[in-house]
Amino acid sequence: MAKKHSLILQTVLTVALCGMVTPSQAEDTRKAIWLSAVEREVLLIEMRNFLRGSQEVLENSVKEDMALVNRTAKPLGTKMLKNLPKEMTDKMPPGFYAMLKTLHYGFAEIADISKSPTAESKVVLQKLANMQKLCVGCHATYQLKVK
């Protein structure tokens, strides 16, 4: 019974604290990246691929299925980065592009790690955790806008 009351209290506090955000606090102050509608969609597809790939790497690492980790991570590596149009990458702030490159290189590294017969899921998971910090930092810093 005490656990139930604790859960109810946590839920009420969470809802109450979320409701305390004022409109001035809700203003989006992230740096804008101005792209065409098509370029924005290309980048959003890439982000969704990163999210899907991260989830699959996580799931397969927990299962210790390094062959599936490799199969998931490899296409998200540096080859995918080379497919981005230069006209689009030229519009990206250097910090954004650096994070994007780091994520692609991170997936390439996970693919390399996972193909080793002695690959450990803990190493892959730590690499993925560090990559997720980049995603969080990037989304906190940048927003995509259409010209």
Side-chain angles (χ1 to χ4, degrees), residues 3-147:
K3 283 185 179 181
K4 184 177 179 181
H5 289 294
S6 176
L7 182 59
I8 292 170
L9 179 61
Q10 287 175 341
T11 303
V12 169
L13 285 174
T14 300
V15 170
L17 290 174
C18 288
M20 295 172 67
V21 176
T22 65
S24 64
Q25 291 171 314
E27 182 182 339
D28 194 345
T29 59
R30 295 174 298 160
K31 297 174 188 164
I33 300 173
W34 293 97
L35 302 168
S36 71
V38 171
E39 291 168 334
R40 181 179 182 275
E41 187 57 32
V42 166
L43 201 50
L44 290 174
I45 289 169
E46 182 151 329
M47 288 179 195
R48 287 189 290 271
N49 285 335
F50 281 149
L51 184 59
R52 178 199 45 79
S54 295
Q55 186 280 322
E56 289 178 13
V57 166
L58 175 63
E59 182 176 356
N60 293 315
S61 293
V62 169
K63 292 177 183 177
E64 297 192 16
D65 189 336
M66 291 298 134
L68 283 177
V69 168
N70 182 272
R71 194 165 71 204
T72 299
K74 192 171 184 175
L76 297 171
T78 54
K79 185 177 181 182
M80 187 176 168
L81 179 63
K82 293 173 186 169
N83 291 334
L84 290 175
K86 182 164 175 23
E87 308 81 50
M88 187 172 101
T89 58
D90 286 347
K91 295 177 184 178
M92 297 175 184
F96 179 88
Y97 190 59
M99 284 189 232
L100 185 64
K101 283 174 55 174
T102 302
L103 283 173
H104 282 290
Y105 282 102
F107 276 109
E109 188 175 338
I110 286 174
D112 287 344
I113 291 167
S114 63
K115 69 182 175 185
S116 167
T118 59
E120 294 182 27
S121 61
K122 182 178 180 179
V123 174
V124 171
L125 292 170
Q126 184 59 59
K127 181 70 181 170
L128 184 62
N130 290 337
M131 290 165 58
Q132 288 291 301
K133 290 176 188 175
L134 286 173
C135 295
V136 170
C138 191
H139 282 267
T141 305
Y142 299 103
Q143 60 177 311
L144 303 179
K145 296 277 194 172
V146 175
K147 278 191 202 185

